[in-house]
């Protein structure tokens, strides 16, 4: 006997009319904004991917242009193992440009640049010359000539320049004529932490970035000339600079990403710059923390007074800093005093032989040294920031 199926259940009654406004409110207040946010995120990711692809093409073109200025056997890369020089190495491989060697300067086995630079050179089959030199030897060998060539006693400039000078000296000893460097990427793409602000004022960020790049100067060319070399940087190529300024702003440069301190180490979500450049090339250093040359090489130790304990006593520092204050100089620490001594030894009392800057009477000019720097916020003579007087 066939059993009968139970009759179908009646459809649920429609929601009471009083529920419709509640449902509509939920959709408007919660669902719609969420969907809109996801749409905006997708568009931002697509825009960043497009910018990164364009950056990759532009950097490849800049590297190719630089390669026309020298023979492969005459050309080396100053390889810090950072985001910028590793991107240059990847771009060069992509367009068939070769370097005869990479050169890295370190003050010890624990210098942060070491593992990244070695890994990058190995990945690209690049002959790699690692120069180990103590911080003391860098100061003794290169400080006088760097202060003379760069006409400065600014600590940050000179710390970085000591390392670059050592790299250029090694390049000359190896017979190279052309050195390629990574200058310019930090300024163009927000590599410095002081550029990570203005999140709520994108036009202001761009104006500040563009103004900084309009006035930038780099010590590299003078240091290279000092060692009989030519130095070029693809990030400084005029065509690349024009593209970067026209095509990138804060959204393409600044973001939160997983950043690592050590090669193969854990990554920590952190604000960072140069996002478009980091995403343009997959290198061993794509998500490495930004370390300036002085940190990566290990020379940063000279910026601390204990390093100078045997060279400048506390009493000597206090007396000389006070005497210089009466002459209008603000001497920040023992390193600054050592730099000033080298500066005056090269350019005369009060930098009288400075080729481009004039010293004004005490109380005028730069707040840190009285040199005439116009309306510039940063003094390229003493390193004061802000250099303007209140």
């Amino acid at each position: 006997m066939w059993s009968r199926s139970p009759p179908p259940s009646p459809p649920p009654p429609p929601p009471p009319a009083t529920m419709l406004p509640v449902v509509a409110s939920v959709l408007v207040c919660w669902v719609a904004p969420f969907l809109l946010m996801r749409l905006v995120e997708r568009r931002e990711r697509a825009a960043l991917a497009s910018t990164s692809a364009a950056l990759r093409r532009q950097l490849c073109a800049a590297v190719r242009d630089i390669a026309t200025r020298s023979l492969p056997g005459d050309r080396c890369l100053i390889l810090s193992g950072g985001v910028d020089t590793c991107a240059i190495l990847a771009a060069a491989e992509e367009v068939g440009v070769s370097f005869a060697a990479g050169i890295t300067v370190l003050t010890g086995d624990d210098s942060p640049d070491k593992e990244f630079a070695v890994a990058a050179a190995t990945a690209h089959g690049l002959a790699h010359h690692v120069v180990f030199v103590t911080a003391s030897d860098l100061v003794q060998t290169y400080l006088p000539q760097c202060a003379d060539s760069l006409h400065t006693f600014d600590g940050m400039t000179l710390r970085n320049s000591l390392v670059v000078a050592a790299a250029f000296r090694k390049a000359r000893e190896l017979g190279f004529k052309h050195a390629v460097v990574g200058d310019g990427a930090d300024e163009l793409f927000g590599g410095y932490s002081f550029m990570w602000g203005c999140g709520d004022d994108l036009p202001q960020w761009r104006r500040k970035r563009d103004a900084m790049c309009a006035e930038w100067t780099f010590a590299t060319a003078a240091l290279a000339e000092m060692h009989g070399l030519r130095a070029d940087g693809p990030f400084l190529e005029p065509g690349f600079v024009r593209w970067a300024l026209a095509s990138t702003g804060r959204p393409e440069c600044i973001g939160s990403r997983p950043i690592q301190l050590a090669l193969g180490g854990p990554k920590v979500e952190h604000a960072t710059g140069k996002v478009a450049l980091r995403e343009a090339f997959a290198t061993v250093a794509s998500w490495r923390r930004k370390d300036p040359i002085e940190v990566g090489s290990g020379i940063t130790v000279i910026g601390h007074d204990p390093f100078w304990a045997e060279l400048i006593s506390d009493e000597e520092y206090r007396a000389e800093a006070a005497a210089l204050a009466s002459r209008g100089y603000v001497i920040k620490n023992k390193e600054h005093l050592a730099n000033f001594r080298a500066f005056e030894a090269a350019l005369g009392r009060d930098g009288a032989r400075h080729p481009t800057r004039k010293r004004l009477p005490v109380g005028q000019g730069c707040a840190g040294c009285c040199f005439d720097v116009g309306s510039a916020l940063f003094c390229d003579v003493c390193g004061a920031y802000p250099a303007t007087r209140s």
Side-chain angles (χ1 to χ4, degrees):
M1 185 175 180
W2 299 98
S3 61
R4 291 186 176 182
S5 300
S9 302
T18 54
M19 290 293 294
L20 293 179
V22 176
V23 173
S25 177
V26 169
L27 291 173
V28 170
C29 295
W30 297 96
V31 178
F34 173 76
L35 293 176
L36 179 61
M37 181 179 67
R38 295 298 298 271
L39 177 61
V40 170
E41 289 176 350
R42 283 198 295 269
R43 288 180 175 175
E44 289 177 347
R45 285 197 298 269
L48 179 58
S50 176
T51 300
S52 293
L55 192 159
R56 183 179 186 126
R57 292 191 296 270
Q58 292 289 331
L59 187 60
C60 286
V63 169
R64 190 187 298 113
D65 288 344
I66 285 176
T68 64
R69 300 167 199 161
S70 62
L71 298 173
D74 293 336
R75 185 168 56 241
C76 66
L77 175 67
I78 307 304
L79 180 63
S80 68
V83 175
D84 313 335
T85 54
C86 286
I88 292 171
L89 195 53
E93 184 174 88
E94 188 166 313
V95 296
V97 170
S98 62
F99 300 99
I103 298 174
T104 305
V105 174
L106 307 170
T107 61
D109 279 325
D110 58 348
S111 298
D113 279 352
K114 181 185 176 183
E115 55 184 358
F116 286 99
V118 169
T122 301
H124 292 274
L126 180 69
H128 192 202
H129 299 273
V130 179
V131 180
F132 285 101
V133 57
T134 67
S136 296
D137 285 342
L138 281 173
V139 169
Q140 182 177 353
T141 304
Y142 300 104
L143 179 57
Q145 57 184 267
C146 284
D148 185 10
S149 180
L150 302 179
H151 318 122
T152 186
F153 57 100
D154 170 39
M156 182 179 69
T157 298
L158 289 172
R159 280 193 299 275
N160 290 329
S161 297
L162 299 180
V163 177
V164 176
F168 284 163
R169 178 177 179 176
K170 183 64 174 180
R172 183 189 64 190
E173 291 173 352
L174 293 170
F176 295 120
K177 301 176 182 178
H178 189 194
V180 176
V181 298
D183 292 353
D186 288 309
E187 290 77 7
L188 288 170
F189 302 123
Y192 303 115
S193 59
F194 68 79
M195 298 178 71
W196 298 350
C198 295
D200 56 353
D201 193 344
L202 303 187
Q204 175 71 349
W205 186 91
R206 198 158 187 165
R207 285 192 294 271
K208 287 185 175 181
R209 188 273 308 269
D210 293 0
M212 180 173 62
C213 292
E215 297 181 356
W216 64 12
T217 58
F218 296 94
T220 311
L223 295 173
E225 183 178 356
M226 188 169 71
H227 291 87
L229 301 171
R230 174 185 179 131
D232 282 302
F235 297 110
L236 300 180
E237 287 290 284
F240 185 89
V241 173
R242 285 193 298 271
W243 173 84
L245 295 178
S247 304
T248 65
R250 191 183 188 282
E252 293 79 26
C253 298
I254 313 300
S256 181
R257 295 291 191 279
I259 299 298
Q260 65 181 167
L261 303 183
L263 183 65
K267 294 182 179 180
V268 178
E269 190 76 15
H270 200 279
T272 189
K274 301 188 287 193
V275 172
L277 176 60
R278 292 174 182 275
E279 295 194 354
F281 297 91
T283 74
V284 297
S286 290
W287 302 106
R288 181 187 174 185
R289 180 185 67 179
K290 159 65 184 173
D291 283 334
I293 294 172
E294 62 171 281
V295 173
S297 66
I299 191 63
T300 190
V301 65
I302 74 172
H304 304 289
D305 279 358
F307 172 84
W308 301 93
E310 296 183 5
L311 300 174
I312 302 174
S313 70
D314 293 344
E315 294 76 12
E316 185 180 4
Y317 168 71
R318 285 192 291 268
E320 199 162 343
L324 289 171
S326 69
R327 291 168 52 191
Y329 294 99
V330 177
I331 302 300
K332 304 171 186 176
N333 54 26
K334 291 182 179 181
E335 177 202 29
H336 211 203
L337 176 57
N339 292 347
F340 181 79
R341 290 173 174 176
F343 174 82
E344 281 205 321
L347 300 176
R349 183 177 173 84
D350 290 329
R353 294 191 295 276
H354 197 295
T356 61
R357 298 290 190 197
K358 177 183 178 182
R359 191 162 194 264
L360 302 177
V362 174
Q364 299 181 31
C366 168
C369 65
C370 302
F371 274 83
D372 185 3
V373 292
S375 60
L377 287 177
F378 173 75
C379 176
D380 57 7
V381 177
C382 71
Y385 182 88
T388 52
R389 295 178 182 270
S390 56

